[in-house]
Amino acid sequence: MSVKTKLITALTLILLVAFLATSLINYAFTRATVREELLNSSLPLTGKNIYSEVHADMLRPILVSTSMANDAFLKNWIDSGEKDLGAITRYLSDLRDKYGFLTTFFVSAKSDNYYYQDGILKKVGPRDPHDVWYYAFVRKDVEFALDVDTNQAEGGQLTIFVNFRVEDENGRLLGVAGVGVNIDRVTGLLEKARRDYHREVYLVDQDGLVQVHRDKSRIERYYITKAGGIRDVAPAILVPRDDSRSFQYDWNGEHYLLSTRYIPELKWFLIVEQSESSALASARDNLARTVLIGLLASILIIVLCSITINHYQGRLEKLAKTDPLTGAANRRALEEAFEQFAYKADRYGTPFSAIIIDLNKFKAINDEHGHLAGDDVLKDVAAATRRIIRPSDTLARWGGDEFLILMDGGLAEAEALAERVARALADEERAIPVTFSHGLARFEAGDTLESMTLRADQAMYRSKDGDCRDRDL
């Protein structure tokens, strides 16, 4: 793996690890903050708001039932032998219409008649499943109680009944009076809370039995003392307290947070519950967006870094392999090119040759015109030569005023190339005329760059001395 690849890989890992670690730490901090806020503020506040609404909605039925239990008319009517059915019917009907209740009723302990706003509904009996509530209430010997049951007087509609004991001055039971409230009024409050706050709100009695829930299938059937993970904290929930309390539990891979509040007037517990995952939905979405943006930003940074590194690496490589004055290859680049030419020659039998070009009377140019003019001559010669040679050929600066060309082909091709370069220099109009001498050498098995260029150099000097034409020694 190259240094550049290692650098880019390390940079990528650092960016991704740092970004992901920061995002996850922020998410963990947000999660802890959300949990703390839910347990200590948000859930209790929701419970307080719902408590106020439920309390206000149920307080009137309780007060009316209290009034009925202590109403002199009702007691006198009972003492008179319950003879005037029209009187009790009008009494119950007026109360229902005045306060908008679903039903009003009185169950006589003497006659077992169940009176309601339209007359006598039935006689209660211990063997009737619908009358279990009556005997259970009488046995408890409490002043009042709430009960959720189907309303036979209203076609089986689910109703919250407020039951109140009616006693004479000696404490003897005369019957049970009360009102029935449409449970939809309360479940509507709970459904609104679920829509507004995305939280489950419900009411349970002191045994943990659900009394009011937006899911009516759970009413009078679902005990929190037996259900799911909440059963682990149910005993602590079902302790009457004046203040709100918070609990947590796990169930089916979800973590739940809840707040409870006891409603002494109803003897029910109000529970506000929310899964942590739903509370953190926005935080998870934000984490996903942050990670996505971060990954895109990281990719962009890596791409820009790669482009920048490649750009400067290319410049450095060019500087490391290029003669700064003429732009021709330097000695290091020439050695690499020679190795490639030699490899092809050894493996595939591809011939190649070397041409050494030595500018004539270059010292005189420097002496007469100055070194800056001499530098311009060198640059012109390099530029003209590059225009002539093929892309596969290599032009290198061999010495002060010497250039070396490596090219595919034998001596004839090399000689033709040298002549084309000479014509190109002669055809160009310049203030300082330029000519050169050259020597050729063809690669032979076992040649090195030094041995090959030595033969070309010797051929060039013989050419200068007029001993012979350029040829391979």
Side-chain angles (χ1 to χ4, degrees), residues 77 81-82 106-115 123-124 174:
W77 181 81
E82 306 176 17
F106 170 70
V107 180
S108 173
K110 181 179 180 181
S111 65
D112 292 331
N113 284 334
Y114 188 117
Y115 298 97
K123 281 186 177 293
V124 297
L174 300 178

Side-chain angles (χ1 to χ4, degrees), residues 359-376:
L359 301 186
N360 296 326
K361 300 179 181 180
F362 185 72
K363 183 176 182 304
I365 294 175
N366 281 333
D367 292 342
E368 182 177 349
H369 301 282
H371 288 283
L372 291 179
D375 290 345
D376 290 338

Side-chain angles (χ1 to χ4, degrees), residues 241-291:
R241 293 271 296 269
D242 294 334
D243 57 333
S244 64
R245 291 174 296 155
S246 298
F247 299 91
Q248 306 177 53
Y249 69 89
D250 294 301
W251 180 245
N252 285 339
E254 285 277 2
H255 188 74
Y256 290 88
L257 311 171
L258 61 87
S259 176
T260 66
R261 180 180 288 270
Y262 181 60
I263 308 176
E265 294 83 359
L266 308 183
K267 295 183 175 59
W268 286 352
F269 293 88
L270 174 69
I271 298 177
V272 181
E273 181 180 78
Q274 183 172 14
S275 70
E276 190 175 67
S277 63
S278 66
L280 290 172
S282 60
R284 287 196 305 273
D285 292 342
N286 185 56
L287 174 65
R289 285 192 296 269
T290 303
V291 169

